[in-house]
Amino acid sequence: MAKVQIKVNDNGSLRVTGEVELVDGAGNPFPVKPSFSLCRCGRSTNMPFCNGAHKGVFQSVVRAPEPETKE
């Protein structure tokens, strides 16, 4: 099975790439493509998917912590 990647986009969505099943709280599946974006600003009218409503109004840049160096 291929590895799924979830990318946290600067000032935007979560980009999901790979074969994944997306379900709601009751376990009902959403139809998805091999690559799609999830909303993380709460402004989308197509939840849980991103529709670009975040542009210009949502600020969030998230970076993974730097790996610790061994001395």
Side-chain angles (χ1 to χ4, degrees):
M1 181 187 329
K3 193 173 189 179
V4 173
Q5 181 184 62
I6 302 173
K7 181 180 180 187
V8 182
N9 289 319
D10 291 350
N11 304 321
S13 65
L14 296 171
R15 186 70 177 167
V16 180
T17 305
E19 190 174 330
V20 63
E21 184 178 26
L22 179 65
V23 297
D24 66 15
N28 302 306
F30 287 97
V32 295
K33 297 178 181 179
S35 191
F36 58 94
S37 294
L38 294 173
C39 176
R40 68 180 180 116
C41 73
R43 299 177 60 88
S44 177
T45 56
N46 190 29
M47 292 297 273
F49 303 102
C50 177
N51 71 349
H54 62 269
K55 291 184 177 147
V57 295
F58 181 69
Q59 298 284 319
S60 178
V61 176
V62 179
R63 295 290 183 263
E66 294 287 328
E68 292 183 26
T69 57
K70 295 182 181 180
E71 294 181 29

